[in-house]
Amino acid sequence: MKKVIYTSEAPEPIGPYNQAILHKDVLYVSGQIAIDPKTGDLVQNDIRSETHQVMTNISKILSEAGMEFSDVLKCSIFIKNMNDFGEINQIYEKYFSNEPPARETVEVSKLPKNVNVEISCIASK
């Protein structure tokens, strides 16, 4: 039994997928990029603001499912340039102040809408 999780506080999906799926007590959040849900515009001023927007989008989806960052078990981070790794970490760690989740970070050649970072996660209560 799966439940689609949707909030207008996060960006509309840009393809045939949902923002998140809740199955039993596990939430699977689709990869989020730095789209401002209010304007539909990309936030690409710099890697820090881009990462912050991604994490804000994830936060809104988690909240819609009755969860928060402390419920996140694993994140996957896809970045276009591994040289941005340090700055992404500086923003990312602010959302996981205690017991951060497992994760991997992978450099890729291209991401949707030519963004610099995309993050997905799995959470559970």
Side-chain angles (χ1 to χ4, degrees), residues 3-5 7 19-29 55-74 95-96 121-125:
K3 177 183 177 186
V4 172
I5 302 298
T7 176
Q19 292 171 335
I21 296 292
L22 182 65
H23 181 260
K24 298 184 181 177
D25 292 334
V26 181
L27 182 70
Y28 300 88
V29 178
M55 298 303 286
T56 299
N57 293 344
I58 290 171
S59 171
K60 300 299 185 179
I61 296 168
L62 289 169
S63 179
E64 184 66 23
M67 295 186 191
E68 51 194 36
F69 280 108
S70 62
D71 297 313
V72 174
L73 304 173
K74 184 172 188 292
Y95 292 86
F96 297 106
C121 69
I122 300 170
S124 182
K125 275 285 193 189

Side-chain angles (χ1 to χ4, degrees), residues 27-45:
L27 182 70
Y28 300 88
V29 178
S30 294
Q32 295 298 303
I33 60 175
I35 296 176
D36 180 333
K38 292 180 180 92
T39 65
D41 295 334
L42 285 172
V43 175
Q44 288 186 298
N45 305 331

